[in-house]
Amino acid sequence: MSEGALLHKLRTLRTEERLGPLGKPSDGAVLKEWLGAGIRFAASEGRLEDVYYRALRTLFDCIVPMAGEAPTLQEGGVYLGCWLESTGTINAELLSRFLPRVSEATYRSFAAHQRTDGLLPYKITEQGPAFRQIQLVTPLARSVWNHYALHGRDRAFLARMYGAMARYDGWLAANRDTRGTGCVEAFGAYDTGHDLSPRFWHVPDAPHRGDASRCDPDSPVLPFLAPDLTANVYCQRLYLARMAEELGESGEAWRAKAQASLDSLMRHCYDEADAFFYDRDRHGRFVRVQSDVLLRVLACEVGDRTFFDEALRRYLLNTRKFFAKYPFTSIALDDPRFDPFSSYNSWAGPSNYLSLIRAPHAFEHHGRHVELTWAMQPILSSFARAERFAQAVGPWTGEEGFTKAYSPAILCLLDFVERLCGVLPTPDGELWFTGLAPDARDHGAEVAAETAYARTVDGVAFELLNLRGGSELYRGGAPWMAFPSGVRVITDRRGRLRGVLGMSARPVEGTLVWEGRALPFAVRGNELLRYEAGQWRREREIGLIYPTYE
């Protein structure tokens, strides 16, 4: 397809026509918000474009008002409600880029239903809030902060959420540190959402007698000192420190508490020989199950780049561990307890979409953008042949697994398309224009070939074409920028050039044409060039961590 034909296709695409009739009264307001963001995606070949709009249509089905409240995001599929570990945190964090009002209403609903003793509900359904367990993974404070920074810095919203999360921190400290270690304890599998994981074999699924503050006294191994729960609180406290300072208070007490959590995590849950995080049972023994706990801890900003790189080499990019053909598995591939079947709700092996949508923060926090694309590409190939939006994907086949209409899978598709070949606004005030395209991984079948993506930011329409010969970017309907494939161009929200990031395993050399200026450059994978005073300055060059087969 020619550049003109693809641009015409993007500009004449009508999202409301692609979605078809919408069934709920609230769908009209949701559609209006989507259309206001000007987001559209088109492709020259393959099935990904059709799957994208099917996903969007299904996402609208996952947004419903409960008990007369504003429409909030639901988990979807067989999960009737909104879960704190997913829907109320990482799902809402991604949704914030697309439907911020729904995202904010989802955050507020958890604060609104907080118990008087500080406990937040682990889920909210049509029947009301539920408090049986805690179920923590992505730090709520990080998700709330990113929404706040991305959408106008509403201090009233921030203050409301800050107060709720500070009270919740107090509840966790009082009720989930029975062994006095400073770690956060798991009283059952549901506390971490690790259903059927070998990590929790032979222990109860839920806390004792449905009370989140009680551990089964007859368990031979509980409570576990849980690395993912402890890392969650560590990261939560870092962001609570930011919020406190934003609201005119001191953040030092929160930073001191965060450091105490980190010290406890490393002292009790980190095995230096394996360079891995494990639960520690009541007898002080490691529960040696290598699971996606590692990725969860890293997504909570634990460790520096050297620490993260070692995790990539030994585990996350190792095809004997978690780097399956369709990554990332929930249990290490070489564990004899690994179960690849994704036809039921399982964290015993299959690659879960919740792991996939949590992964970008871990990678990007350490500048590992190229390595992240190696995980995104096969998942997009899998999406291109999907018939429904499941909870998990088969790590060997890429086939969809248990349930359908699952919002984390839908948001994974929307997020990966925008990260790989779209226009992405960040909480740091940047715009990312990425010159990649989904590649023909599975049997050489085209996923999308050339792509086009549109998004409106602060009233200005951007249109990005990723063509075989390079990328073309339009601003306000007029040609604005051109650059070679394989890089990400970074600007501020006003369109001022900030830098170029290498997004390919190959070095990229060429010219960025911007507002009539020709700017030659050469950049390697993960290398960041800053544009200052008319010149390129190398800000970061960290090389690549390659996949291993050992």
Side-chain angles (χ1 to χ4, degrees):
M1 184 178 288
S2 69
E3 172 191 337
L6 186 57
L7 182 61
H8 176 75
K9 181 179 183 181
L10 181 70
R11 288 179 173 176
T12 57
L13 191 152
R14 296 291 177 264
T15 299
E16 55 271 44
E17 294 176 3
R18 297 297 297 267
L19 296 181
L22 299 174
K24 305 189 302 296
S26 58
D27 287 342
V30 177
L31 176 60
K32 182 178 180 181
E33 184 172 18
W34 179 275
L35 296 177
I39 300 168
R40 300 184 305 283
F41 171 66
S44 63
E45 298 180 42
R47 296 186 62 238
L48 191 62
E49 179 185 324
D50 288 338
V51 174
Y52 182 94
Y53 287 100
R54 227 173 353 103
L56 180 58
R57 176 65 181 81
T58 309
L59 178 65
F60 280 33
D61 293 337
C62 296
I63 297 171
V64 296
M66 289 190 298
E69 298 178 355
T72 57
L73 181 63
Q74 310 294 293
E75 193 81 357
V78 300
Y79 304 103
L80 304 178
C82 183
W83 268 255
L84 183 61
E85 67 146 327
S86 49
T87 338
T89 49
I90 186 60
N91 295 11
E93 184 173 331
L94 298 185
L95 187 70
S96 179
R97 297 206 313 266
F98 304 98
L99 297 168
R101 291 180 184 173
V102 177
S103 180
E104 182 167 320
T106 304
Y107 294 135
R108 286 182 179 275
S109 67
F110 282 93
H113 290 289
Q114 186 172 33
R115 225 164 56 178
T116 55
D117 64 354
L119 180 61
L120 289 174
Y122 80 89
K123 72 173 180 179
I124 303 169
T125 69
E126 189 64 39
Q127 287 70 46
F131 298 93
R132 181 181 61 177
Q133 62 238 21
I134 56 175
Q135 209 151 332
L136 301 179
V137 184
T138 298
L140 175 61
R142 189 195 84 198
S143 299
V144 166
W145 176 265
N146 286 342
H147 175 84
Y148 168 79
L150 193 60
H151 297 293
R153 305 178 88 88
D154 179 350
R155 290 173 66 86
F157 165 73
L158 189 71
R160 176 75 173 93
M161 296 304 300
Y162 171 77
M165 290 182 290
R167 290 189 293 275
Y168 189 38
D169 183 88
W171 187 94
L172 290 169
N175 293 279
R176 286 303 184 102
D177 185 18
T178 64
R179 294 162 61 180
T181 64
C183 293
V184 182
E185 296 164 353
F187 292 172
Y190 292 164
D191 279 338
T192 68
H194 262 150
D195 302 51
L196 297 187
S197 171
R199 173 188 182 190
F200 289 106
W201 281 358
H202 308 298
V203 302
D205 282 335
H208 191 52
R209 297 182 179 175
D211 184 343
S213 66
R214 297 182 66 184
C215 185
D216 183 359
D218 295 320
S219 171
V221 291
L222 290 179
F224 285 170
L225 307 183
D228 44 352
L229 300 181
T230 306
N232 175 290
V233 169
Y234 159 70
C235 190
Q236 183 90 352
R237 288 170 166 178
L238 290 180
Y239 280 86
L240 286 171
R242 289 193 192 185
M243 293 179 183
E245 291 170 348
E246 184 79 1
L247 295 169
E249 303 175 11
S250 172
E252 287 309 305
W254 286 118
R255 289 195 178 87
K257 289 182 177 182
Q259 185 60 50
S261 291
L262 180 61
D263 292 344
S264 297
L265 171 71
M266 302 306 293
R267 181 183 309 114
H268 296 287
C269 299
Y270 184 65
D271 179 26
E272 292 188 2
D274 289 353
F276 208 90
F277 293 93
Y278 299 111
D279 297 297
R280 198 181 281 272
D281 72 9
R282 67 185 296 176
H283 308 290
R285 303 170 303 183
F286 281 133
V287 180
R288 292 192 181 276
V289 176
Q290 292 184 345
S291 72
D292 79 316
V293 158
L294 175 64
L295 187 52
R296 292 177 173 199
V297 170
L298 295 171
C300 288
E301 303 179 12
V302 171
D304 59 13
R305 183 181 296 134
T306 300
F307 189 89
F308 184 74
D309 289 354
E310 181 65 12
L312 288 183
R313 292 187 185 95
R314 293 185 63 170
Y315 294 105
L316 297 179
L317 297 183
N318 186 337
T319 64
R320 292 177 66 92
K321 294 295 184 179
F322 297 95
F323 201 49
K325 179 174 172 60
Y326 300 89
F328 297 99
T329 58
S330 46
I331 293 290
L333 288 149
D334 62 355
D335 189 310
R337 294 159 290 200
F338 174 81
D339 174 10
F341 293 102
S342 58
S343 54
Y344 45 88
N345 175 17
S346 170
W347 287 82
S351 299
N352 279 267
Y353 282 109
L354 277 172
S355 291
L356 286 161
I357 62 177
R358 291 166 181 150
H361 188 78
F363 280 71
E364 292 171 351
H365 185 67
H366 298 290
R368 292 293 170 193
H369 301 268
V370 177
E371 291 86 348
L372 178 62
T373 69
W374 301 339
M376 292 195 296
Q377 287 284 14
I379 297 301
L380 285 174
S381 292
S382 171
F383 272 126
R385 51 189 169 88
E387 297 298 328
R388 52 191 171 81
F389 305 100
Q391 175 179 328
V393 58
W396 295 336
T397 66
E399 294 178 358
E400 58 263 44
F402 175 69
T403 201
K404 61 182 180 179
Y406 188 60
S407 65
I410 296 166
L411 289 162
C412 182
L413 172 57
L414 300 185
D415 179 57
F416 281 15
V417 165
E418 190 160 275
R419 286 183 192 279
L420 197 76
C421 55
V423 181
L424 189 155
T426 77
D428 297 326
E430 293 183 340
L431 298 180
W432 292 356
F433 306 96
T434 307
L436 297 174
D439 61 25
R441 271 238 177 175
D442 293 345
H443 311 291
E446 282 289 1
V447 174
E450 298 176 322
T451 65
Y453 195 91
R455 176 186 268 281
T456 299
V457 180
D458 299 335
V460 178
F462 294 92
E463 299 160 317
L464 174 63
L465 306 183
N466 283 325
L467 311 169
R468 289 189 172 91
S471 297
E472 305 285 339
L473 183 58
Y474 292 76
R475 185 172 186 265
W480 183 55
M481 190 182 294
F483 51 92
S485 300
V487 302
R488 171 178 290 157
V489 174
I490 302 168
T491 73
D492 65 14
R493 292 178 69 101
R494 296 177 62 184
R496 292 175 294 203
L497 182 62
R498 284 192 174 182
V500 167
L501 175 68
M503 291 293 296
S504 172
R506 62 178 171 84
V508 176
E509 186 172 354
T511 300
L512 187 153
V513 178
W514 170 60
E515 295 186 340
R517 283 167 274 189
L519 306 172
F521 70 91
V523 67
R524 298 179 179 274
N526 289 326
E527 183 180 2
L528 177 61
L529 302 179
R530 283 296 181 192
Y531 185 70
E532 297 174 347
Q535 301 292 324
W536 297 113
R537 175 182 63 83
R538 180 179 292 111
E539 181 172 300
R540 183 177 69 234
E541 185 176 13
I542 60 175
L544 299 172
I545 305 295
Y546 295 101
T548 58
Y549 296 79
E550 301 171 354

